[in-house]
Amino acid sequence: MRIEKNVSERKGKEYSDWKKNRRRQRRVSPVQILYETCKQVFANCGPGVVPSAENIERLKAVLDTMVEADVGLSPNLPYFKSTTYDTPPKITYLHLHECDKFSIGIFCLPPSAVIPLHDHPGMTVFSKLLFGEMHIKSYDWADNILPAESTPSANYPVDNAAGDSTGLRLAKVKVNSVFRAPCKTSILYPSDGGNMHCFTARTACAVLDVLGPPYCDPEGRHCQYYYDFPLANISVPEEQRGCGDYAWLKEREKPEDLTVVGALYKGPKIVK
């Protein structure tokens, strides 16, 4: 009888633990799942190292299901309203997490707000439009294509290969489209997928960004901004003709009219 009692007590405890684990699983927020997935996906990555295809799909699957309510946002919050009409709308950044492997944050854009053309050196970037309508234009470098002698503008003559003394460098358009939520997660890679991109909010928008690894000035991963200029003409190998549009890009300082302010993230907490 004593043995039967011990077995019964053990089974009762096991059932109680199972119920506690089930309750905990139900309580895990999408943000916590995102954080735990990022820890696993980027564990063995670094600058220029892209996660495996399987891990890319794992993280993308998590982000694809996320909506604004999962991070405590709604379009009627003050972040998404323009307060001035004579200057570009300010953008609000909500910081969720950053470590040496990855960062998670949300950009909140009022209508007409613009995140200018910029790059992500050595990074793999996941961008999920949580709500709103946004135009995205992105580029990859086109170093294997030589420009003809041309003049993209009167102020920037070009008479050499891309990246010459004028500072111009040839890039190929990767994406030039309007995205409307709900939509799939956009992914860019260190040298492909549109590493340089520009966001223009057509309505109020929220973009959840995951960067692996994050920007780091001491390690040379700083955010570089660019002008883009239409082409006058270009010498494209015959086999690549008709494969997309091209533009000249030129490095620039951070635009003076770009205002990004930090705000406290008030959504579900991440347990580290």
Side-chain angles (χ1 to χ4, degrees):
M1 295 296 294
R2 182 62 179 172
I3 294 175
E4 290 178 0
K5 182 179 179 182
N6 287 341
V7 170
S8 176
E9 289 176 348
R10 185 166 64 251
K11 287 184 177 180
K13 183 178 186 304
E14 289 173 352
Y15 179 70
S16 176
D17 291 344
W18 177 83
K19 287 202 303 182
K20 289 179 181 178
N21 289 334
R22 289 288 293 173
R23 285 197 297 269
R24 182 182 181 279
Q25 289 173 3
R26 286 196 293 268
R27 288 198 301 268
V28 175
S29 69
V31 167
Q32 186 68 33
I33 294 172
L34 174 62
Y35 168 74
E36 298 292 346
T37 304
C38 286
K39 281 206 316 183
Q40 297 169 15
V41 167
F42 293 108
N44 298 316
C45 297
V49 179
V50 177
S52 68
E54 180 183 1
N55 278 334
I56 291 283
E57 287 303 314
R58 283 182 61 207
L59 182 49
K60 180 179 181 297
V62 172
L63 286 163
D64 281 347
T65 63
M66 295 189 69
V67 296
E68 61 269 29
D70 293 333
V71 290
L73 293 178
S74 67
N76 61 358
L77 290 172
Y79 309 138
F80 304 106
K81 294 177 172 57
S82 297
T83 56
T84 61
Y85 299 96
D86 56 346
T87 58
K90 72 178 181 181
I91 297 164
T92 302
Y93 180 75
L94 307 178
H95 171 75
L96 276 69
H97 173 78
E98 182 171 324
C99 61
D100 61 345
K101 292 293 186 179
F102 65 93
S103 65
I104 305 173
I106 303 169
F107 288 97
C108 305
L109 291 80
S112 301
V114 177
I115 299 179
L117 186 63
H118 62 285
D119 67 359
H120 304 82
M123 304 177 193
T124 303
V125 180
F126 297 74
S127 296
K128 167 63 176 177
L129 182 62
L130 297 172
F131 68 82
E133 182 175 304
M134 171 177 285
H135 180 267
I136 299 177
K137 190 168 189 179
S138 66
Y139 296 91
D140 288 321
W141 295 121
D143 292 341
N144 60 328
I145 299 175
L146 298 179
E149 292 189 1
S150 59
T151 306
S153 78
N155 295 325
Y156 297 102
V158 174
D159 55 13
N160 258 322
D164 69 357
S165 59
T166 66
L168 291 162
R169 187 174 174 186
L170 189 62
K172 181 178 179 178
V173 176
K174 181 70 175 182
V175 173
N176 188 14
S177 302
V178 173
F179 291 77
R180 300 176 185 87
C183 58
K184 297 297 184 180
T185 303
S186 298
I187 308 172
L188 60 86
Y189 304 93
S191 58
D192 186 29
N195 190 274
M196 297 153 288
H197 65 201
C198 171
F199 290 161
T200 302
R202 298 182 61 162
T203 67
C205 296
V207 181
L208 175 59
D209 256 8
V210 175
L211 279 63
Y215 288 108
C216 180
D217 285 341
E219 296 181 10
R221 295 193 307 279
H222 64 277
C223 184
Q224 178 61 59
Y225 294 90
Y226 296 88
Y227 294 109
D228 57 344
F229 301 99
L231 293 172
N233 58 69
I234 178 174
S235 177
V236 180
E238 184 174 353
E239 65 273 14
Q240 298 193 32
R241 291 174 188 168
C243 293
D245 297 326
Y246 296 84
W248 302 113
L249 302 191
K250 182 180 177 66
E251 292 184 4
R252 64 180 297 190
E253 296 295 325
K254 178 182 177 182
E256 293 183 0
D257 59 358
L258 173 61
T259 303
V260 180
V261 297
L264 182 65
Y265 167 68
K266 297 180 181 179
K269 302 301 181 186
I270 292 174
V271 179
K272 301 173 185 178

